[in-house]
Structure formats: structure tokens, C-alpha cells
């Protein structure tokens, strides 16, 4: 951590910073510049909760952290990629095969979800998605089938063997969702529901943590850190697009750079959701492929048997035929990218 003093800071104010640093167990190194003094603090920054311990002191201009605030999620704590086993033989992260989760935004009917599960499985998806509890901005819209939706998901799993990912919106549903799902999805709107994150930290199943629509990467990784701090390290991050100024042509801005940034910062696997990322069926293919090129460990894609009549997110859903055509392209590109990286590594070593 670096404490930058005001140009007019008094000697006594600099001494106060040094004294506080030493009280907190840091070694203080003082750099007196021509205009400003900078105090570098050597020690474990993660032991203190915030820079405010120094920012509030008189004469302090600015404080900058050097270490990332997410310790457990950080690559500096664990260098090797985390690999998460969702179900026997179904893994994500590291050098595992790209994993695709697919299914409708909402579970609507028993037939519909079973039919979709069969179709996405045949196309190569390894996890079935489907919302039973739906976060909807407007009241009086379809908010999911609730418990009945969970029952239909269970049936689809029985029929196809596909593990399930479904969203938790309310901790009161934790037990019934636990009974059905293989992965708990935390939606963008709940990424900073801290009591929910704390409880999911105690659960012994993987968590799909979507990025909040206006969350910074640090805030997102701190949400993961909270789950890990409570005991659950099985976290899959999901980039699903962030809000920006131009929402005319796409629903969100899919932050492709975040995929590379997150892979650099953390050992946790990251997937991309081009459906919510674009909001338009037309752009799902290109952004799915772009996410693979950017290095995502997996994808989440909304697939509906009849998107025109879907009860939620029809305009961004693929139909089974479109999904079936996209999957081989995804696989081809993934294997091309793998070769490309292997060649690059070989030349770096040589
Ligand atoms: C969803 O996956 O259907 C969903 C509501 O996603 P998000 O939380 O990213 O909006
Ligand atoms: Mn949706």
C-alpha cells in the first residue's frame, strides 16, 4: 500500500502515518520527493479491511492498494487453475474441455423442458439451464413456475442425465433448490446480495456467479471471495454483459476483455453468456465464438423450442436447430485456439 501525502503535509502528519503503519504491523518506507512525500507500507494488506485507516489521517492526499483485496480467489494465492466437478465426469476450468450450459430462460412446461434437454444434449451441451424462480423487472410478468419448475427440471435430469443449473432468488428456497440442482446460479441482480452469498458459502455445491450489470471486476471477484470466505470454493464466474450508454442495438455490452482480465486475476473458471450479453438471437453466435477466442472455459446459451412464444427472453434465445448448428463451430474454434496457444507456448520455450 502506498500513502501519498499532501504537498503541504507537516512532519507531524507524516509521523502519524508511520506510527499507524507500525501499529498495524507494516514496515514504513519514506520517500521524500521535491514536492510530496510518499510512504510505502510493506506487509500483508489483506489483514486490514480498507485504505480508510490511512485516508482519514490529516495530511494524506491519496492511498493506493497494491495487493488485490480478494485473497482466496487470487492467482497469487493459488496459481494453478481451479477445476470444478459439477457432476461425475462433468468438469470445468483449466485444460478441461469447453463446457456448454444450455436451455430455456424459464422452465415453462414439462414437455418443453424435456424436449429442450434432449435437443441440447444431442448437440453436445453438458449442463441444462432453466429458471424456476425468475427475476423480472416488471411485476405482472411471468416469474417462473417455482416449485413446479424444479420438479420439471428434475424430470428432465432423470430423462437425460444432464446436470442442472438454476437460479436462487430467495434463501427460503435454498433447500428445495438444493434438492434439484447441481449448480446454484446467482443472478446478476443478486451478485451483491451479501446474506445470500454468505449462505451459499456454506453449501456443498458449485455456484455460478453472474457479474452484476454494473459491477466492477473487483466487486465481482469480492463477491466470489465472500462465498469462498464462508467455505465454498467451487465458483464458476459468468460474464453476462454490463450496462453502458448505448442500449439501442444490444441489451448489454458483453465485456469480452473481462474474460482475459479475470483469467489473469483469478484461478476460478469463467464462462460467458452471449444471450444476456447481447439480448438478440442475431448476435449470440458471433459473441459465443468471440468468447471462446477470448478464452472462456464455457458458455451459457438460452435455447427455447419456440422462441417467438417464450414466456421470457425469447428475443435472445436460439431454437434447437440454431444451437445444433452453432455447437460444432464452437468446438472447432475451441480446438483451433488450443492448438494456437500450444504453438505459441512452444515458440516461447524454444
Ligand atoms: C438468466 O440467466 O436467465 C438471468 C436472469 O440472467 P442474469 O441474472 O444474467 O440477468
Ligand atoms: Mn434469461
Amino acid at each position: 500500500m502506498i500513502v501519498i501525502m499532501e504537498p503541504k503535509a507537516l512532519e507531524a502528519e507524516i509521523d502519524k502515518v508511520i506510527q499507524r503503519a507500525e501499529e498495524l504491523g507494516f514496515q514504513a518506507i519514506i520517500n521524500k520527493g521535491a514536492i510530496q512525500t510518499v510512504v510505502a507500507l510493506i506487509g500483508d494488506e489483506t489483514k486490514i479491511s480498507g485504505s480508510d485507516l490511512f485516508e482519514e489521517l490529516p495530511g494524506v492526499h491519496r492511498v493506493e492498494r497494491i495487493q488485490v483485496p480478494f485473497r482466496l480467489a487470487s492467482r497469487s494465492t493459488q496459481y494453478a487453475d481451479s477445476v470444478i466437478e459439477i457432476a461425475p465426469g462433468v468438469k470445468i476450468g483449466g485444460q478441461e474441455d469447453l463446457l456448454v450450459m444450455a436451455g430455456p430462460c424459464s422452465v415453462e412446461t414439462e414437455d418443453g423442458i424435456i424436449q429442450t434437454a434432449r435437443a441440447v444434449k444431442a448437440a453436445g451441451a453438458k449442463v441444462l439451464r432453466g429458471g424456476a424462480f425468475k427475476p423480472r423487472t416488471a411485476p405482472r410478468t411471468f416469474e417462473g413456475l417455482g416449485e413446479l419448475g424444479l420438479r420439471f427440471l428434475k424430470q428432465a435430469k432423470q430423462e437425460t442425465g444432464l446436470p442442472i443449473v438454476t437460479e436462487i432468488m430467495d434463501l427460503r428456497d435454498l433447500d428445495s433448490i438444493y434438492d434439484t440442482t447441481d449448480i446454484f446460479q446467482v443472478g446478476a441482480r443478486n451478485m451483491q446480495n451479501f446474506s445470500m452469498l454468505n449462505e451459499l458459502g456454506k453449501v456443498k455445491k458449485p455456484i455460478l456467479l453472474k457479474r452484476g450489470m454494473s459491477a466492477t471486476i473487483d466487486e465481482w471477484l469480492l463477491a466470489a471471495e465472500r462465498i469462498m470466505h464462508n467455505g465454498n470454493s467451487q465458483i464458476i464466474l459468468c460474464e453476462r454483459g454490463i450496462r453502458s450508454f448505448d442500449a439501442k442495438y444490444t441489451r448489454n455490452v458483453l465485456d469480452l476483455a473481462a474474460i482475459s482480465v479475470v483469467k489473469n486475476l483469478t484461478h476460478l473458471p469463467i464462462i460467458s453468456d452471449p444471450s444476456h450479453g447481447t439480448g438478440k438471437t442475431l448476435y449470440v453466435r458471433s459473441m459465443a465464438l468471440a468468447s471462446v477466442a477470448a478464452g472462456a472455459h464455457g458458455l451459457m446459451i438460452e435455447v427455447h423450442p419456440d422462441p417467438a412464444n417464450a414466456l421470457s427472453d425469447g428475443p435472445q434465445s436460439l431454437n434447437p436447430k440454431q444451437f445444433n448448428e452453432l455447437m460444432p463451430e464452437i468446438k472447432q474454434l475451441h480446438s483451433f485456439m488450443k492448438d494456437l496457444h500450444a504453438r505459441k507456448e512452444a515458440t516461447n520455450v524454444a
Side-chain angles (χ1 to χ4, degrees), residues 75 81 258-267 270 294-297:
R75 262 212 207 274
D81 282 341
I259 297 170
S260 289
V261 173
V262 160
K263 283 183 80 175
N264 192 28
L265 291 173
T266 177
H267 50 87
I270 176 161
H297 295 106

Side-chain angles (χ1 to χ4, degrees), residues 57-85:
L57 292 178
V60 171
H61 173 62
R62 191 157 51 90
V63 179
E64 275 184 23
R65 281 184 101 106
I66 297 171
Q67 292 161 4
V68 289
F70 35 91
R71 183 157 48 100
L72 301 170
S74 167
R75 262 212 207 274
S76 51
T77 302
Q78 180 191 312
Y79 184 71
D81 282 341
S82 280
V83 173
I84 293 169
E85 181 154 45

Side-chain angles (χ1 to χ4, degrees), residues 102-104 107-123 125 128-129 152-153 155-157 159-160 162 303-307 318-321 323:
V107 179
E108 297 174 3
T109 61
E110 185 177 354
D111 252 19
I113 191 71
I114 292 175
Q115 195 190 321
T116 312
R118 286 203 182 110
V120 298
K121 183 181 178 181
L128 175 67
R129 66 147 284 147
F152 292 166
L153 279 172
Q155 261 145 7
K157 181 178 172 175
E159 291 281 330
T160 59
L162 283 182
V303 179
H304 191 283
D306 179 15
L318 301 188
N319 63 34
K321 182 171 174 284
F323 182 68

Side-chain angles (χ1 to χ4, degrees), residues 105-106 129 134 251 276 302 312-313 316:
C105 180
S106 309
R129 66 147 284 147
K134 293 304 302 177
R251 182 178 177 180
H276 293 87
E302 286 187 338
S312 63
D313 285 349
Q316 66 190 36

Side-chain angles (χ1 to χ4, degrees), residues 168 174 184 186 196-203 207 227 232:
I168 179 163
L174 192 126
F184 280 90
V186 176
M196 182 178 281
L197 300 178
N198 287 339
E199 286 310 305
L200 291 173
K202 297 170 196 156
V203 163
I207 311 295
I227 299 171
N232 188 353

